[in-house]
Amino acid sequence: GAHHWARELQKRGFVVRLIAPQFVKPYVKSNKNDANDAEAICEAMSRPNMRFVAVKTVEQQDLQAIHRIRAELCSQRTAKGNQIRGLCGEYGLVAPRELLQLKAAIPCWLEDLDNGLTYRFRRLLRSLWLDLLQLDLRVKELDREIQVAADTDPVACRLQQMRGVGPVIATAIVANVGDAKQFCNGRQMAASLGLTPRQNSSGGKTRLLGITKRGDAQLRTLLVHGARSVLRTAPSKDDRLSRWVTHLAQTRHHNIAAVALANKMARIAWAMMTKGTDYHPGTVPA
């Protein structure tokens, strides 16, 4: 409820500063109690280089709620499909990996009277099939709601100009980032999403590790999946971004290229959101 109380305090004329808990924890002295926590918060707030969290609007929280519910429903749908596969596999019934093919195979299994399924298991399988269809229906309803939000929000409309960014990713960026001006540059925004390397540097020697995976895991996952779709079609294009990511995929691992492209997509999104510009791929004429 931090963002709710921040908005209420702002209505009453207070200046609200939200601090991430991991930035306050180093200032807690000795054991944890209310007095030490309050002292640590005051100490962290007084630091000149402290990073604060931007207060979310009600519209941002609405979009974030849609994405959270959709992600949970997708997880339940995957779990339900795996349960059906596992149970039917015990009867020798195997469907291809895709969920669409599983939904098409279940009615055939129910109608086939010679596949060895008992009447009891057919009733159970039919109920599981209806549960799967209901979950799929709810996901499609949220997809339509996301599409409406993406069409009505001007920032989301501009973000969809980028390759690999559709309504889901565009609205997720708007819901999680909001005002991109809270970041000084695109690298800070990419770092907040966990798309920059961790550092273990000392004595002037720079040592970079894997990505930090900080921030919102769902948005980071969506950006990486969007980068994979761009990477798949990049060899057939001649713009500067496509040539760069194609060369990176040839010289490094495919997954490294996808994460690097997701990092660059986050930086491009920051530039588009802060400057109000459209996406320019930088196509080089033949």
Side-chain angles (χ1 to χ4, degrees):
H3 292 279
H4 166 72
W5 291 114
R7 290 193 298 269
E8 292 298 322
L9 292 172
Q10 285 178 342
K11 292 178 183 177
R12 289 159 174 79
F14 291 94
V15 178
V16 181
R17 300 290 189 186
L18 298 181
I19 308 177
Q22 63 267 25
F23 293 155
V24 178
K25 187 64 177 177
Y27 297 97
V28 178
K29 299 176 182 177
S30 187
N31 298 321
K32 182 186 183 304
N33 53 52
D34 292 344
N36 289 341
D37 287 346
E39 181 182 356
I41 292 173
C42 294
E43 181 67 24
M45 183 187 63
S46 64
R47 297 298 90 194
N49 295 324
M50 178 54 61
R51 301 173 184 173
F52 299 102
V53 179
V55 179
K56 291 184 181 296
T57 63
V58 177
E59 291 75 14
Q60 284 181 258
Q61 289 191 315
D62 289 344
L63 280 176
Q64 193 173 46
I66 294 175
H67 281 277
R68 292 290 186 268
I69 297 172
R70 181 183 181 275
E72 180 62 25
L73 289 176
C74 290
S75 177
Q76 294 177 9
R77 183 177 60 179
T78 302
K80 185 66 64 175
N82 291 337
Q83 183 185 35
I84 294 174
R85 292 178 189 277
L87 293 173
C88 293
E90 299 293 336
Y91 293 86
L93 302 177
V94 180
R97 289 182 55 185
E98 296 296 330
L99 184 62
L100 182 64
Q101 294 172 325
L102 175 64
K103 290 189 294 185
I106 294 176
C108 299
W109 294 342
L110 293 173
E111 295 176 0
D112 188 2
L113 301 179
D114 299 327
N115 53 13
L117 297 182
T118 62
Y119 175 74
R120 176 180 297 174
F121 185 77
R122 289 180 189 274
R123 286 191 295 107
L124 295 174
L125 181 59
R126 178 174 176 79
S127 63
L128 290 175
W129 180 47
L130 294 177
D131 292 341
L132 183 63
L133 294 180
Q134 182 63 27
L135 289 171
D136 197 47
L137 180 62
R138 293 189 62 189
V139 171
K140 291 180 179 178
E141 290 176 354
L142 292 178
D143 286 340
R144 288 194 293 269
E145 194 163 351
I146 289 175
Q147 182 66 58
V148 172
D151 293 338
T152 55
D153 189 279
V155 178
C157 290
R158 286 205 314 274
L159 290 177
Q160 292 181 73
Q161 297 173 0
M162 284 195 297
R163 288 162 45 197
V165 175
V168 175
I169 299 180
T171 53
I173 294 176
V174 172
N176 286 275
V177 177
D179 185 11
K181 294 182 180 179
Q182 60 180 306
F183 303 105
C184 295
N185 50 48
R187 188 188 186 282
Q188 285 191 5
M189 178 171 161
S192 69
L193 301 178
L195 292 170
T196 54
R198 290 186 292 117
Q199 288 195 36
N200 189 16
S201 305
S202 179
K205 182 178 181 180
T206 302
R207 183 186 179 193
L208 300 180
L209 307 176
I211 60 173
T212 63
K213 295 187 178 180
R214 295 173 181 169
D216 190 85
Q218 182 190 8
L219 178 55
R220 181 175 60 254
T221 302
L222 292 174
L223 285 173
V224 172
H225 285 331
R228 291 184 190 279
S229 66
V230 175
L231 189 58
R232 186 174 61 251
T233 59
S236 61
K237 300 182 182 298
D238 192 40
D239 58 278
R240 185 171 58 184
L241 181 64
S242 297
R243 293 200 305 269
W244 170 78
V245 73
T246 301
H247 175 73
L248 187 61
Q250 293 173 349
T251 56
R252 305 294 295 275
H253 196 275
H254 185 87
N255 292 335
I256 294 178
V259 174
L261 181 57
N263 184 313
K264 190 172 288 292
M265 289 169 59
R267 299 189 183 203
I268 295 174
W270 174 86
M272 294 175 63
M273 295 173 71
T274 54
K275 301 177 182 178
T277 57
D278 294 332
Y279 175 65
H280 300 289
T283 304
V284 178

